[in-house]
Amino acid sequence: MEVIIRPDADAAARLAARIIAHDLRANPKLVLGLATGRTMEAVYGRLVRLHHDERLDFSLCQTFNLDEYVGLRAEDPHSYRHYMDEHLFNEVNIDPRNTHLPDGCALDLAEECEAYEALIRRCGGIDLQLLGIGRAGHIGFNEPLSALMSRTRVKALSPRTLAQNAPLFDVATKMPRRAITMGVGTILESRRCLLLATGAEKAEIIAKAVEGPISSMISATALQLHAHCTVIVDEAAAESLAERDYYRWIFDNEPEWTGYRHL
Ligand code: GLP
């Protein structure tokens, strides 16, 4: 795992966007895993700017989102499809047919989950998976007790997640209690993972995810098993990391890591 500490949330999001842009330029047919949430808005904002200012080209890439609420139609302003259209897809030259999210309104949800997995496989697997982290440590919607080898499936949302995301709904009670999410095993199969967390409210959980024991209670800890996982945090989210001075030293001194400074 690489842990990169940037001075503030803006610099952290900028680096995440630059890494995505770098990989997309190296491989225009990149299969990109995407995440939603407040943290990601800054990353997508940056990618849109890179598209306009530096002609970053999305025309050949494929995207797969981590999750979608069960029961929300694409046009529902609270759906993750709507979030993605608004923050990224409508703003860049991506082919809408190449943008994939699970369909939370599918008649047969189990079949939809299997079809999603099959589509990822058909596209050659995910090259780069962008991840946020919930305050209880979930990646995607892999709530406590998510098997470390789990695949795309329906998960019941935990009370903490419901409390965290309900304010995003105009009527809190409208928030679905279930979601389709890629499994932890699905995420771990991505060739590279990129987790971004900013703000003091993420400090405790980042320390557990990065430095704590691996546990299905905190699905983000499974990223410790991944051979190529980069964690980008701002100073506020890095506050509880025991080894933060070590991570800073590596970033400033190790040739492989100093490469990020030019992005
Ligand atoms: C939701 C998403 C997660 C995301 C999390 C963090 O629960 N399903 O994929 O990581 O939100 O959101 P925020 O960035 O708003 O803290």
Side-chain angles (χ1 to χ4, degrees):
M1 209 179 235
E2 305 168 323
V3 179
I4 300 175
I5 304 170
R6 305 308 295 134
D8 53 43
D10 194 47
R14 200 162 59 229
L15 180 59
R18 284 276 172 197
I19 290 174
I20 295 169
H22 173 268
D23 284 11
L24 188 54
R25 286 192 179 109
N27 173 15
K29 293 186 172 174
L30 194 76
V31 181
L32 187 55
L34 296 175
T36 48
R38 287 156 279 212
T39 315
M40 295 305 149
E41 289 175 18
V43 178
Y44 297 140
R46 284 272 156 191
L47 287 175
V48 171
R49 265 173 68 180
L50 287 171
H51 170 67
H52 290 301
D53 300 349
E54 298 180 19
R55 299 196 185 156
L56 183 64
D57 179 20
F58 290 83
S59 62
L60 298 177
C61 87
Q62 299 268 346
T63 65
F64 285 91
N65 265 78
L66 286 166
D67 44 20
E68 179 59 282
Y69 289 112
V70 166
L72 296 191
R73 305 217 161 269
E75 25 329 325
D76 189 304
H78 304 296
S79 73
Y80 283 164
R81 161 58 75 182
H82 189 274
Y83 170 106
M84 289 309 306
D85 286 346
E86 184 180 315
H87 292 287
L88 185 65
F89 300 154
N90 290 346
E91 305 297 324
V92 297
N93 66 331
I94 198 162
D95 182 340
R97 289 168 303 182
N98 290 347
T99 66
H100 311 287
L101 282 93
D103 178 1
C105 288
L107 283 179
D108 186 335
L109 292 173
E111 197 178 281
E112 171 64 15
C113 295
E114 262 181 52
Y116 201 63
E117 289 271 338
L119 190 57
I120 294 173
R121 276 197 300 277
R122 265 210 310 286
C123 290
I126 292 168
D127 293 308
L128 176 63
Q129 177 65 59
L130 181 63
L131 297 160
I133 185 168
R135 255 168 273 169
H138 65 218
I139 45 177
F141 271 131
N142 288 287
E143 301 289 47
L145 290 188
S146 286
L148 301 184
M149 295 175 81
S150 51
R151 313 301 310 185
T152 301
R153 68 216 184 287
V154 174
K155 279 301 278 182
L157 302 177
S158 70
R160 280 186 81 173
T161 300
L162 291 170
Q164 192 182 320
N165 288 4
L168 301 173
F169 286 73
D170 43 9
V171 185
T173 47
K174 257 178 67 183
M175 185 180 168
R177 303 189 66 96
R178 295 186 305 152
I180 295 182
T181 180
M182 276 187 207
V184 183
T186 320
I187 293 167
L188 290 180
E189 268 171 24
S190 314
R191 290 180 191 91
R192 182 179 184 185
C193 289
L194 181 61
L195 184 136
L196 174 67
T198 55
E201 73 277 11
K202 296 285 171 74
E204 290 270 302
I205 198 63
I206 276 295
K208 286 184 182 155
V210 171
E211 297 176 335
I214 295 173
S215 160
S216 64
M217 289 299 287
I218 301 176
S219 58
T221 60
L223 295 171
Q224 295 174 29
L225 297 167
H226 198 282
H228 194 182
C229 177
T230 303
V231 176
I232 302 175
V233 286
D234 65 353
E235 284 288 350
E239 188 59 31
S240 303
L241 287 166
E243 298 292 341
R244 57 189 189 281
D245 291 340
Y246 173 56
Y247 312 140
R248 281 196 193 101
W249 188 89
I250 300 176
F251 187 72
D252 290 338
N253 295 285
E254 282 297 293
E256 222 180 295
W257 285 38
T258 47
Y260 291 120
R261 302 224 303 267
H262 307 298
L263 285 179

